[in-house]
Amino acid sequence: MDYLEGFLIGPVWTDTDYETRRHTAVHFFVAALVGIYYIFLQIFPDRQKLIDSIPWPYSLVIFISLMLITPLIACFYYRIPIYVRPLILCLYVFKFLMGFWLLLQLTLPLYVLKTEGLQEYIFEEVNKNIETAINWFNFLGYLFSMVLGIIAGGLWLVLRFVLIMLIVIAIPLAVFIIIKLLQYGLDSVVARFFSKNKQVY
């Protein structure tokens, strides 16, 4: 519970050791889930209707509202009864979800994957890459050029796949970090404001 509070509410408000530990793996994991879901929606475009259930610009309004409201709620989080706190944490989860929701709404229309003939396209790309790699090693003779071409072509395909996955993960990861930084900034401003008011009174 302490970790979840630190991760969602942030280090400004929580009294845990969340801030002193690295949490890179969790951020990568969340970003990877978003990236995988993006690929899923590209492969199965019929499922993109779910994204339209909260259409633009309502999703943006909801996200901005949550970004502004949650720091105020966080001020009183530890005064709230324990049985109510999970609902507050769910609100934070929904806020991050809306951030990724916006990302998907903005990025999905930028590239439309043609699923028709996708399998044939993949096989064609594999054959083309291997054939090109084999031609690189023609000077070694038929047998060696064939073996090295298959290996080099396969490695190039794997490298391309890894690069695509890194890009797909890097974008939601960057958005995640930006949201966390914005939250930290807003939390700091609100915390400073409330601390000044306490000093006055």
Side-chain angles (χ1 to χ4, degrees), residues 152-197:
L155 289 174
W156 172 240
L157 287 170
V158 171
L159 180 61
R160 285 176 62 183
F161 175 76
V162 170
L163 287 173
I164 291 171
M165 289 304 299
L166 285 176
I167 293 171
V168 169
I169 293 173
I171 294 173
L173 179 62
V175 171
F176 199 7
I177 292 171
I178 290 171
I179 293 173
K180 298 275 278 190
L181 289 174
L182 287 173
Q183 175 178 305
Y184 184 83
L186 290 171
D187 287 343
S188 300
V189 170
V190 173
R192 189 175 301 175
F193 175 78
F194 273 88
S195 64
K196 285 183 179 179
N197 281 353

Side-chain angles (χ1 to χ4, degrees), residues 111-174:
Y111 177 78
V112 179
L113 181 66
K114 296 179 180 179
T115 53
E116 295 180 2
L118 180 60
Q119 187 174 359
E120 290 79 6
Y121 172 77
I122 292 173
F123 280 122
E124 184 180 345
E125 279 294 307
V126 171
N127 291 330
K128 187 188 297 183
N129 279 272
I130 291 176
E131 185 179 346
T132 302
I134 290 173
N135 291 332
W136 291 346
F137 300 101
N138 273 339
F139 63 93
L140 295 175
Y142 176 77
L143 181 61
F144 284 105
S145 65
M146 180 68 71
V147 174
L148 292 175
I150 291 173
I151 294 172
L155 289 174
W156 172 240
L157 287 170
V158 171
L159 180 61
R160 285 176 62 183
F161 175 76
V162 170
L163 287 173
I164 291 171
M165 289 304 299
L166 285 176
I167 293 171
V168 169
I169 293 173
I171 294 173
L173 179 62

Side-chain angles (χ1 to χ4, degrees), residues 40-111:
F40 173 79
L41 292 177
Q42 285 286 2
I43 296 174
F44 302 100
D46 293 340
R47 302 298 177 90
Q48 293 184 19
K49 294 177 181 178
L50 176 64
I51 300 297
D52 296 329
S53 59
I54 305 178
W56 173 276
Y58 299 111
S59 54
L60 178 63
V61 173
I62 293 171
F63 175 69
I64 293 174
S65 300
L66 290 173
M67 286 293 293
L68 296 175
I69 291 170
T70 47
L72 300 175
I73 296 174
C75 295
F76 310 100
Y77 178 78
Y78 286 103
R79 301 178 189 175
I80 297 173
I82 294 178
Y83 57 85
V84 181
R85 292 180 188 177
L87 297 176
I88 304 299
L89 296 180
C90 288
L91 185 66
Y92 272 87
V93 171
F94 184 66
K95 178 181 73 174
F96 287 111
L97 181 63
M98 289 308 303
F100 294 126
W101 196 284
L102 281 169
L103 175 64
L104 291 172
Q105 285 182 326
L106 293 173
T107 55
L108 281 172
L110 297 178
Y111 177 78

Side-chain angles (χ1 to χ4, degrees), residues 25-38 100 103 165 168-176:
V26 180
H27 292 84
F28 269 102
F29 177 72
V30 174
L33 288 179
V34 177
I36 291 169
Y37 188 59
Y38 170 82
F100 294 126
L103 175 64
M165 289 304 299
V168 169
I169 293 173
I171 294 173
L173 179 62
V175 171
F176 199 7

